[in-house]
Amino acid sequence: MRGACILEAKELATAICAAASDKKARDIVTMDMTQLTPTCDAFVVCSANTATQVRAIADNIEEKLAEAGVSFLHKEGYREGEWILMDYGDVVAHVFRQETREYYALEHLWSDAPLTPYED
């Protein structure tokens, strides 16, 4: 477990998924990274149609987790709104514009990671 966090990794991933879902993120999945990288336990990956929606999803994740006493360690890509990465230590959220998600294909790149689709 990396970083100081009030929530366990699974709870953190679920909270990120729920916050993304609140803003109509599409194709939300959690990727179990525990056997693949020492840097985190999970990726949460989701997508949106526009850069504006990508930013709204990231803003909501940040707001909802802050309400739970959790803040990110690092965030990048916000200005462009194509791919916003939010590092919460044990869980890294990837919020993509749909075309950018297809281009980078994290699910394919990390194809050994078990995927769990989010269902709200």
Side-chain angles (χ1 to χ4, degrees):
M1 186 155 118
R2 197 170 67 88
C5 181
I6 296 168
L7 302 176
E8 294 295 324
K10 186 172 182 171
E11 295 172 310
L12 182 58
T14 300
I16 291 169
C17 289
S21 180
D22 286 348
K23 294 297 178 181
K24 308 297 184 216
R26 295 193 336 233
D27 302 322
I28 305 168
V29 297
T30 300
M31 300 172 65
D32 182 348
M33 304 301 287
T34 56
Q35 301 301 311
L36 302 174
T37 178
T39 59
C40 68
D41 292 341
F43 286 170
V44 171
V45 181
C46 64
S47 51
N49 290 325
T50 66
T52 301
Q53 187 184 13
V54 168
R55 286 188 209 94
I57 292 166
D59 288 344
N60 200 53
I61 291 169
E62 183 176 347
E63 180 181 315
K64 295 296 183 185
L65 269 64
E67 289 172 5
V70 180
S71 58
F72 61 83
L73 302 172
H74 179 75
K75 176 170 75 172
E76 58 187 70
Y78 188 87
R79 186 175 356 162
E80 298 82 6
E82 293 292 314
W83 174 4
I84 299 176
L85 179 146
M86 302 172 78
D87 182 353
Y88 281 96
D90 293 337
V91 180
V92 177
H94 298 271
V95 185
F96 286 99
R97 199 167 64 80
Q98 185 62 40
E99 293 81 6
T100 306
R101 181 177 182 173
E102 291 168 8
Y103 178 80
Y104 286 101
L106 286 188
E107 293 97 328
H108 180 70
L109 180 66
W110 294 96
S111 61
D112 291 341
L115 292 178
T116 305
Y118 177 71
E119 299 176 19
D120 52 356

